[in-house]
Amino acid sequence: MSRTLSPAGRVAMVSEHASPLAALGGPDAGGQNVYVAQVARQLARKGYRVTVYTRRDSTGLPDRMTLIDGVQVVHVPAGPPAPVPKDELLPHMAEFGAFLARQWAADPPDVVHAHFWMSGLAALTGTRGLGIPVVQTYHALGTVKKRYQGADDTSPPERLAIEEAVGHECARIIATCSDEVAELRAMGLPEDRVTVVPCGVDPDQFAPSDRPRTLPGGRRRLLAVGRLVPRKGFDRAIRALAGIPDAELLVAGGPEADLLGAEPEARRLHAIAGEYGVTDRVTLLGGVGRTRMPRLMAGADLVLSLPRYEPFGIVPLEAMACATPVVATAVGGQLDTVVDGATGVLVPADDDHHHLGAVVRGLLADPDRLGRLGAAGRERVLAHYTWDRVADGVARAYGAVSSMPSLSEVVR
């Protein structure tokens, strides 16, 4: 069908469980929320008009609100107006998609960008018969989750089939790293419709600090950041700490600090710290706000990012932007972002805590090397991983499947 495009290009983003307005650190709030918010902001600054559709999870939310000039957030009535774990949202996607269909039949965007597999399902429902191209970013793949979690995977049993169907039906897939491209290929999805655009970081928000890193008494600070779930590997960092006697470990993530006592993973980590005799050197901070996180990153000697698997992983980028070296497991997007020996050190995902401890001890004993790694990390972020560069890549993917104006036309 033929449509007249808006002068700047109109983008609809669908992010069914990950609102750009959400506080981070909860079980379903993390990197996807950051990605959606930042890419929407950058596209708006380039002249595009962006509407983000996310599920209403509270009765107090307005139907529509402004994130910044050029970015609107629409709260879609789909399921109860209350928090629902993302793995329980599939039954509400038909209602979500029907809402999108009504909206877009009356006022169609130029392109739809779906985030996560259920958003892809809702987006394809909403665009059916309208001729609007859908670009899909999975952020995490069910095949990978099933491989690593097995019987502990709480995803709906329909997930794998729906993910594959979405990949075949959408106009383009944006993968965030080379490892994801290999996973998509293994799913039988057409590689010629896959574009790699990484996640990013704000280098003005996450920046080096002039404050000395070493704590009073000569103790060194290690930092681990992420959702408080077993796959993030905080237990490995705690076990390794037993072999690093002059260091403390801060773990940032999860609910607010005064609620950690009711968090199963927090209790498990406290028990491991007791077992390894490091309770006095491990601090679970709970959820940390975005304004405080850069100071934590910049004040650490090392950031440990040790997930068993990771679709992309923004934490290493944030650390590198702060000129803080990273010790990371060689999985997912960390294989792309962390250059082993240049911006940090990669360790095997199944590495034992004794070797991990030795790696960390060696780095802490060489301040000159830490300085070189940190400086190279900052340079790498500025060259490849700013949100402005990410938004340029996303916009090119949109242009490949739609008649949206090019970036040069938008900024004229």
Side-chain angles (χ1 to χ4, degrees):
M1 63 184 293
S2 176
R3 291 182 287 109
T4 300
L5 300 179
S6 61
R10 298 174 56 181
V11 178
M13 289 192 177
V14 182
S15 183
E16 97 294 337
H17 75 274
S19 169
L21 304 171
L24 303 183
D28 292 333
Q32 182 178 327
N33 305 70
V34 174
Y35 182 101
V36 171
Q38 290 287 359
V39 172
R41 289 173 182 272
Q42 292 298 329
L43 289 173
R45 290 173 181 143
K46 296 175 186 297
Y48 297 99
R49 285 186 286 162
V50 183
T51 303
V52 181
Y53 295 86
T54 192
R55 198 185 73 85
R56 179 188 295 278
D57 61 5
S58 170
T59 56
L61 292 171
D63 292 342
R64 179 183 291 261
M65 61 187 299
T66 299
L67 182 64
I68 62 168
D69 187 30
V71 181
Q72 294 282 305
V73 178
V74 173
H75 294 114
V76 177
V84 175
K86 69 171 183 266
D87 286 336
E88 298 175 16
L89 287 175
L90 182 58
H92 306 300
M93 288 303 101
E95 185 180 4
F96 200 120
F99 177 91
L100 297 178
R102 292 191 298 272
Q103 294 279 308
W104 296 340
D107 188 20
D110 300 324
V111 67
V112 173
H113 188 172
H115 300 271
F116 202 56
W117 65 279
M118 281 184 286
S119 293
L121 177 63
L124 289 168
T125 299
T127 57
R128 195 147 291 133
L130 297 178
I132 305 168
V134 174
V135 175
Q136 174 71 31
T137 299
Y138 286 103
H139 293 281
L141 289 169
T143 52
V144 178
K145 188 176 181 184
K146 177 65 70 177
R147 182 184 311 142
Y148 286 97
Q149 294 192 6
D152 293 330
D153 182 7
T154 57
S155 300
E158 304 94 332
R159 176 173 180 173
L160 300 188
I162 293 174
E163 275 188 341
E164 184 178 337
V166 166
H168 284 292
E169 191 172 342
C170 69
R172 183 156 291 268
I173 300 170
I174 294 179
T176 56
C177 63
S178 53
D179 187 66
E180 185 181 355
V181 176
E183 296 287 350
L184 293 169
R185 186 189 310 118
M187 290 167 60
L189 297 178
E191 194 170 348
D192 61 350
R193 289 198 283 113
V194 177
T195 298
V196 177
V197 181
C199 299
V201 66
D202 181 348
D204 295 323
Q205 179 187 18
F206 288 87
S209 170
D210 294 331
R211 291 177 297 174
R213 295 180 187 266
T214 304
L215 303 172
R219 181 174 283 186
R220 315 299 290 276
R221 174 166 288 173
L222 310 176
L223 176 66
V225 178
R227 290 182 293 129
L228 210 57
V229 292
R231 78 170 178 87
K232 290 296 185 178
F234 300 137
D235 55 339
R236 298 180 62 201
I238 291 172
R239 292 184 177 97
L241 192 66
I244 315 168
D246 59 345
E248 69 173 24
L249 172 68
L250 304 183
V251 178
E256 295 179 9
D258 58 357
L259 300 176
L260 285 173
E263 182 68 35
E265 181 64 3
R267 294 197 298 268
R268 187 178 79 93
L269 295 177
H270 277 303
I272 293 171
E275 178 186 350
Y276 281 79
V278 295
T279 300
D280 61 331
R281 295 191 287 124
V282 175
T283 303
L284 303 188
L285 299 173
V288 171
R290 299 296 288 172
T291 56
R292 185 183 172 197
M293 186 62 75
R295 295 196 300 273
L296 269 180
M297 291 272 190
D301 292 283
L302 280 172
V303 167
L304 308 182
S305 184
L306 305 172
R308 293 175 58 217
Y309 70 95
E310 188 65 74
F312 182 80
I314 284 180
V315 168
L317 288 185
E318 292 174 340
M320 288 158 57
C322 293
T324 301
V326 182
V327 175
T329 42
V331 296
Q334 296 184 159
L335 288 163
D336 289 357
T337 56
V338 180
V339 181
D340 189 32
T343 69
V345 175
L346 292 173
V347 296
D350 58 356
D351 204 14
D352 68 69
H353 65 274
H354 299 292
H355 179 254
L356 175 62
V359 169
V360 173
R361 286 197 309 273
L363 288 170
L364 294 178
D366 192 342
D368 289 340
R369 186 184 181 200
L370 284 179
R372 292 193 300 273
L373 293 173
R378 174 76 178 176
E379 291 175 5
R380 182 164 174 77
V381 164
L382 295 175
H384 301 288
Y385 295 107
T386 65
W387 284 115
D388 181 68
R389 288 182 177 273
V390 172
D392 285 348
V394 168
R396 284 192 291 271
Y398 295 167
V401 297
S402 73
S403 301
M404 284 181 62
S406 67
L407 286 173
S408 60
E409 292 171 327
V410 168
V411 299
R412 276 208 297 262

